[in-house]
Amino acid sequence: MSHIDLASRYPGIFSNWRRLQQRTRRLQPHIPITTTGVLILIASLAALRGFGYQRMDLVVFALTVCALSIVLVSAVMVTVTGLLLRRRLAATMNTPLPALQAEAGYANETALQLSGHSWLPMMSLEWQVVAPSRMTTRVEFDPDSGQLEEIIVPGHRCLGTQVTRLFTIRDVLGLCRFSWRMTQPMSLMVLPRTGNLRHLPLLRSMDSEDGIPDMRGKPEGDRMDIRRYAPGDSVRDIMWRVYARNRHLNVRLPEKSMFQADRTLAYLLSGESDEAAAGVARFAVTNGALGDTWIFGADGSLEVARTANAALPLICGSWQTAERDDKSGNNGSLDHFLLSQAGNQAACIVFAPALTGAWVQSLTTTMRKFSGPFTVVLATDDLSQQTSAPWWQRLLYEPDYQQYGSGLTELQSLAAKLTGAGARVLIVDRQSGQTFDQGLKRV
């Protein structure tokens, strides 16, 4: 039975285990002795008691006393040195760093430089960025300046005004450590990757007016629909020439139609695995895929943007909504965005992750509230692998191919559900840069 099956069958046990792991990780930095040091302490105390005292083995007695002394002296030295370093770094951490605009997945220097502390006796200093989360940190030594330089590799988009680091000083034997957290002001904006996207089809909102015939629009198009006269119809709509020929009263009515709105509304939905959707939204607002005039909104903010420079902070800031623990899928921000911009006749382009989640039910509820048509852009990173697996991979790697097939089936089911709710669906693969319709045909 797989781990996923066990987790679904025993959710309480796995949730308690995850909670215990989280608490252990939080307490671990505050314990000055590592796991190796604890094991050495236990083994030394057991050997000292069993062989050193009871059997009066002087060799074991001397070795265990030396081991205990090394562990205790290392713990005292590491703790005292850590307290001194924390006091020294307090002034540096209160100085704001220059603003940094980066892109997820690429290394960037943060301009933080600390002295190498060559005076540390058999100890090393290291640190990592813990907030924002999923931030890989590298500490490199510059021999020219003798400084330790910080390099970060963001794992996802983010937006913040401060950075929290976890500093750790440890002895060379790995027996003891001393850790502490420090927060430093820093304006940080990490943009989502656009991958291999080079072009997107022009994404334009459709509105109810004279233009393209569509049953979802209003009867305000060309007068093309013909039916028999009914009481209450205006005499102006009667086709009098036809009546003169066959003595039948027919009326000509405007057909239901839509046209490409002069103002495009676009919105980014946050959810699980939404980094690809954020990357596609960034590409759309910065490369003119939304047309000349557009209004953009995103989860996590009630503000709107009309330029690319104003839209990028909204895209980066939506990661906070994606990472919060609330899984209710409340989509009030999208409702507020549509009501404030176009009322009940709103038509919108929605960027969403290509993964079923709570946002699907919220979006379908929103589409029932508003009469305007919706275009949903589902963004993914592995559609090219799912649709173009070679024959030798299908022959040799059957489990992986089945996994791709199940993911493709889920994506098709999601597209069919949104299409059934009245939305037009586009699927964008960020890795290959290709666009597909709801039937997975290339656009």
Side-chain angles (χ1 to χ4, degrees):
M1 184 176 295
S2 63
H3 181 273
I4 299 177
D5 296 335
L6 290 174
S8 60
R9 179 170 294 186
Y10 307 104
I13 297 177
F14 275 82
S15 61
N16 293 333
W17 175 251
R18 295 192 194 98
R19 195 177 297 111
L20 178 62
Q21 287 180 330
Q22 292 176 357
R23 292 179 179 177
T24 303
R25 294 192 192 100
R26 292 176 183 176
L27 291 175
Q28 199 173 25
H30 302 286
I31 301 175
I33 301 179
T34 63
T35 304
T36 304
V38 172
L39 293 177
I40 291 178
L41 278 178
I42 295 175
S44 299
L45 291 174
L48 182 62
R49 180 180 179 182
F51 296 93
Y53 286 111
Q54 294 182 359
R55 299 185 182 183
M56 296 301 295
D57 191 331
L58 297 181
V59 176
V60 175
F61 181 84
L63 292 176
T64 53
V65 170
C66 290
L68 292 174
S69 301
I70 291 175
V71 174
L72 294 178
V73 171
S74 297
V76 173
M77 293 180 59
V78 167
T79 303
V80 173
T81 307
L83 292 174
L84 293 175
L85 282 178
R86 185 172 64 178
R87 187 173 180 179
R88 281 191 174 188
L89 293 176
T92 303
M93 291 297 105
N94 291 331
T95 304
L97 287 176
L100 175 64
Q101 179 173 325
E103 186 171 355
Y106 295 93
N108 299 269
E109 296 183 358
T110 61
L112 176 65
Q113 293 184 346
L114 301 178
S115 59
H117 298 292
S118 58
W119 56 270
L120 295 179
M122 299 181 67
M123 286 178 286
S124 62
L125 175 66
E126 59 187 31
W127 69 88
Q128 61 179 350
V129 177
V130 294
S133 60
R134 288 187 286 175
M135 191 86 66
T136 303
T137 309
R138 298 203 309 260
V139 180
E140 297 184 356
F141 179 75
D142 187 3
D144 297 332
S145 61
Q147 301 285 323
L148 296 176
E149 298 180 349
E150 180 185 61
I151 299 177
I152 60 173
V153 183
H156 62 89
R157 72 190 189 281
C158 63
L159 181 70
T161 58
Q162 61 183 17
V163 175
T164 302
R165 298 179 180 89
L166 176 64
F167 290 87
T168 302
I169 183 171
R170 63 179 75 245
D171 63 307
V172 294
L173 299 178
L175 302 178
C176 304
R177 65 165 175 265
F178 182 83
S179 301
W180 69 95
R181 293 174 182 259
M182 303 190 78
T183 301
Q184 185 176 19
M186 178 182 181
S187 179
L188 177 65
M189 183 171 68
V190 179
L191 301 172
R193 290 186 299 108
T194 58
N196 293 320
L197 290 173
R198 295 298 179 265
H199 61 84
L200 280 177
L202 188 61
L203 303 174
R204 300 290 299 274
S205 295
M206 303 298 292
D207 207 350
S208 237
E209 283 290 347
D210 184 10
I212 302 174
D214 196 299
M215 294 302 297
R216 297 173 296 177
K218 283 188 174 183
E220 298 177 354
D222 295 332
R223 304 173 67 83
M224 300 293 293
D225 292 341
I226 300 175
R227 63 170 175 82
R228 298 296 296 271
Y229 174 83
D233 291 337
S234 175
V235 295
R236 297 180 180 178
D237 298 331
I238 298 177
M239 303 171 64
W240 293 109
R241 293 184 180 181
V242 177
Y243 174 75
R245 290 197 303 267
N246 55 21
R247 297 298 175 179
H248 292 296
L249 285 176
N250 295 324
V251 293
R252 188 189 299 274
L253 301 176
E255 65 177 350
K256 295 182 178 180
S257 63
M258 294 185 298
F259 83 116
Q260 288 188 339
D262 294 334
R263 182 185 61 173
T264 300
L265 301 181
Y267 194 87
L268 172 62
L269 284 180
S270 298
E272 184 180 0
S273 302
D274 65 342
E275 193 67 15
V280 175
R282 174 198 170 188
F283 185 87
V285 300
T286 55
N287 290 272
L290 298 179
D292 297 330
T293 306
W294 46 268
I295 300 177
F296 183 85
D299 276 349
S301 175
L302 297 180
E303 299 180 358
V304 298
R306 292 175 171 82
T307 62
N309 291 333
L312 292 180
L314 299 182
I315 296 175
C316 298
S318 62
W319 73 279
Q320 298 174 339
T321 305
E323 290 212 338
R324 64 187 177 187
D325 294 332
D326 181 19
K327 303 298 182 181
S328 60
N330 184 15
N331 203 18
S333 298
L334 177 57
D335 294 348
H336 180 273
F337 172 75
L338 296 176
L339 285 174
S340 62
Q341 299 304 322
N344 291 329
Q345 306 299 327
C348 185
I349 298 170
V350 179
F351 298 93
L355 185 66
T356 303
W359 66 269
V360 179
Q361 182 62 34
S362 300
L363 180 58
T364 53
T365 303
T366 300
M367 288 191 293
R368 286 194 293 266
K369 294 179 183 178
F370 298 88
S371 59
F374 287 79
T375 299
V376 181
V377 180
L378 300 177
T380 182
D381 281 334
D382 56 357
L383 183 61
S384 58
Q385 296 177 357
Q386 296 176 1
T387 55
S388 61
W391 65 269
W392 58 268
Q393 186 174 358
R394 297 195 299 267
L395 180 63
L396 298 178
Y397 302 101
E398 187 66 22
D400 290 342
Y401 178 70
Q402 289 179 355
Q403 181 180 2
Y404 290 152
S406 62
L408 188 60
T409 303
E410 181 182 1
L411 179 59
Q412 290 176 329
S413 175
L414 175 60
K417 185 175 182 180
L418 294 174
T419 303
R424 179 193 175 205
V425 176
L426 289 177
I427 303 172
V428 179
D429 184 12
R430 186 172 60 162
Q431 293 301 326
S432 65
Q434 298 178 352
T435 304
F436 306 85
D437 60 9
Q438 60 268 22
L440 292 181
K441 297 180 180 179
R442 282 189 60 180
V443 177

